[in-house]
Amino acid sequence: MSNAWLRRCAGGVAVMAVLAGCGGVGGGSGQNPAGGATLSTMGFGLVDEVAQVRVDLANKAIAPDVVQVGGSTFDAQQFLSAVASGTAPDLVFLDRQLVGTYASRGTLMPLGDCIARNGVDMSQYRDAAVQEVTLDRKVYGLPEFFNNRVVLMNGAALQAAGMTSADLSTKDWPALAAAAAKLTRTTPDGKLARIGFDPKIPEFLPLWAKANGVDMISADGRTANLDDPRLLEVLEFTLGLIQQQGGWGAFKAYRESFDFFGKENPLATDKLAAWPMEDFYLNQVANNSPQVQLLAAPFTDRRGAPIDLATGSAWAIPTGSKHPEQACTWIKTMSDAPTWIAAAQARAEKRRADGKAFTGIYTANRKADEKIFGELVRLEGQPVFESAVAAVLKAQDSAFTLPASPAGAEFRTAWQSAVTRVLEGRQPPAAALEQAQQEAQRALDSAPGR
């Protein structure tokens, strides 16, 4: 995938494959003017007011100690080396799908004592997010954002083609392929001028799999299911969508030309008709091109029931943290409902001062979201964004995640690499998935605690 698809710091949200998206490494050796300890972090950065407000409140909770943030993204090799050498950061911010991998290696602390000692209300967090950070019945992280996926559509393109959002339902795959073909545009010399429907593979393969009744890994995170015939059907269908739109080379090159996060984004420039996408993109549209005719609808399975692949990040405490008690209080505060609400209030005020729509912040904290979307999100008179937010909230009720796994990183590499080989024409779908199954299961079988 292009860097443009992976870069995003909007609201501090993370794409599945990029940890924190704009994270950081903070050193713990700096001077603290208040005289307390300075805690170090990895994987988090002060990218906007949502991050800043929460960090300020969390630092207040551990004063005179302070957490120093800022720098580059989470780096797996650097993290493991730091833990092994006794120089582990005090806190780490990482993709929830990787928590199980590092927990099984003994590099993350179980948070049972932390949760009990600080009175962390685990019921405030969404069940799916907690499942991602729970391995062998032990919690290893406190969840942050809750990234939902819905189908976003270019209303102007649909209207010009005499179509409605129902024509792009993921319930009927043959009809979806036909609609994608109708919406695809090419130049007189055969080059892509508009993508009709982007299936967003490899990264959204678990969503398509769930739509076809497939769980790619067992509930305990230890048995791969990548050679399931229904997953093969998924890969063949999504590959077919891309092939009918010029093939992977042309498709990928055209998509990489998008100014995806600017005013000349593919909706504003009519370069993309529809695609499944994370909820954060509502904020990007409201910020950069509020005039576009954006439509949103839940992704559905083949029976028409809404489904939502949820991902996100989590705060964890590395084994060897020199200040685990302060770290626990800090991450508890960062993920508490009052902290999220204060951050959302700051974002809402900034958006309104700029004359822009506030489309909300989707967190893994249910209590926070109830307040944010019940009181702070005010979209009356803005029907485009009001209906889009409603679609995300509807999808959120049917969210699922991939379970925590002691080899989560290796499992993801196996299936993503398989899809990439297929897209690049280096391997047929069946062979690629069979290889991925063998690679993934080998990693799962050899993972600690098997």
Side-chain angles (χ1 to χ4, degrees):
M1 306 301 293
S2 71
N3 288 336
W5 282 87
L6 298 177
R7 291 194 311 265
R8 63 176 172 81
C9 300
V13 186
V15 173
M16 178 190 287
V18 177
L19 308 182
C22 7
V25 177
S29 59
Q31 295 296 317
N32 181 348
T38 300
L39 281 67
S40 59
T41 64
M42 176 181 286
F44 188 79
L46 295 175
V47 297
D48 56 21
E49 68 280 358
V50 173
Q52 186 66 64
V53 167
R54 293 164 57 232
V55 167
D56 289 346
L57 289 172
N59 276 338
K60 183 177 180 180
I62 65 168
D65 302 323
V66 66
V67 169
Q68 179 178 321
V69 298
S72 60
T73 59
F74 176 86
D75 183 293
Q77 184 175 356
Q78 182 182 352
F79 171 68
L80 292 173
S81 297
V83 173
S85 65
T87 59
D90 293 296
L91 312 100
V92 64
F93 187 70
L94 73 168
D95 186 335
R96 290 198 291 267
Q97 279 293 297
L98 300 182
V99 168
T101 296
Y102 298 115
S104 70
R105 297 179 182 179
T107 56
L108 297 179
M109 295 173 51
L111 298 182
D113 290 343
C114 163
I115 290 168
R117 186 171 61 251
N118 281 267
V120 179
D121 178 12
M122 293 303 294
S123 70
Q124 68 184 314
Y125 303 116
R126 298 186 183 279
D127 291 342
V130 174
Q131 290 170 10
E132 284 187 287
V133 296
T134 303
L135 183 69
D136 297 332
R137 300 183 181 181
K138 294 181 180 180
V139 175
Y140 287 89
L142 296 184
E144 273 251 345
F145 289 94
F146 198 78
N147 307 330
N148 307 279
R149 285 150 179 81
V150 294
V151 178
L152 299 184
M153 291 161 279
N154 179 343
L158 267 65
Q159 184 177 16
M163 302 169 67
T164 68
S165 60
D167 294 310
L168 288 167
S169 169
T170 51
K171 174 183 178 180
D172 187 336
W173 289 5
L176 176 61
K182 186 175 181 180
L183 288 166
T184 301
R185 282 184 176 176
T186 58
T187 62
D189 59 354
K191 295 181 179 180
L192 267 177
R194 182 171 69 200
I195 290 175
F197 192 95
D198 180 359
K200 286 293 293 291
I201 58 170
E203 59 266 54
F204 285 11
L205 186 69
L207 180 61
W208 288 99
K210 193 73 169 181
N212 208 32
V214 181
D215 290 319
M216 292 169 53
I217 191 170
S218 61
D220 65 359
R222 294 185 180 274
T223 304
N225 186 34
L226 300 179
D227 56 356
D228 191 301
R230 294 168 296 176
L231 187 59
L232 174 59
E233 183 181 12
V234 164
L235 185 51
E236 290 176 337
F237 173 72
T238 52
L239 173 64
L241 284 177
I242 292 171
Q243 289 176 330
Q244 77 176 25
Q245 297 177 91
W248 179 240
F251 187 95
K252 181 172 180 285
Y254 182 65
R255 192 173 62 185
E256 288 179 341
S257 71
F258 295 168
D259 175 22
F260 206 76
F261 304 102
K263 293 183 178 180
E264 298 299 311
N265 63 72
L267 283 176
T269 55
D270 194 30
K271 294 180 178 179
L272 181 58
W275 78 117
M277 188 60 183
E278 293 98 333
D279 54 61
F280 86 91
Y281 205 67
L282 301 185
N283 180 62
Q284 128 54 40
V285 174
N287 194 43
N288 289 310
S289 49
Q291 76 286 350
V292 303
Q293 297 180 41
L294 173 70
L295 300 175
F299 197 102
T300 71
D301 64 19
R302 301 190 74 175
R303 297 173 299 171
I307 56 172
D308 172 23
L309 171 63
T311 59
S313 46
W315 283 104
I317 302 176
T319 302
S321 168
K322 295 179 177 58
H323 306 94
E325 292 189 9
Q326 298 97 316
C328 178
T329 300
W330 200 87
I331 65 176
K332 183 247 187 186
T333 307
M334 282 288 284
S335 59
D336 259 351
T339 306
W340 277 118
I341 293 166
Q345 182 69 51
R347 166 63 60 83
E349 291 173 356
K350 185 176 187 300
R351 285 285 184 270
R352 287 164 189 153
D354 293 340
K356 297 175 180 179
F358 173 55
T359 60
I361 299 172
Y362 299 90
T363 81
N365 191 308
R366 291 182 299 101
K367 292 184 178 180
D369 281 5
E370 288 171 4
K371 177 87 170 182
I372 292 169
F373 291 96
E375 299 181 19
L376 300 181
V377 175
R378 289 286 177 263
L379 296 170
E380 297 86 353
Q382 298 172 299
V384 167
F385 296 109
E386 185 175 31
S387 62
V389 168
V392 176
L393 295 177
K394 180 179 179 180
Q396 197 171 55
D397 292 336
S398 53
F400 75 95
T401 63
L402 295 181
S405 169
E410 295 87 347
F411 176 75
R412 183 163 68 185
T413 296
W415 64 259
Q416 288 194 343
S417 297
V419 177
T420 299
R421 292 193 300 273
V422 171
L423 290 172
E424 294 176 349
R426 293 187 283 120
Q427 203 171 18
L433 291 177
E434 179 60 36
Q435 178 180 330
Q437 172 67 20
Q438 295 174 5
E439 293 171 348
Q441 195 58 55
R442 189 181 307 119
L444 291 166
D445 288 343
S446 60
R450 182 63 178 176

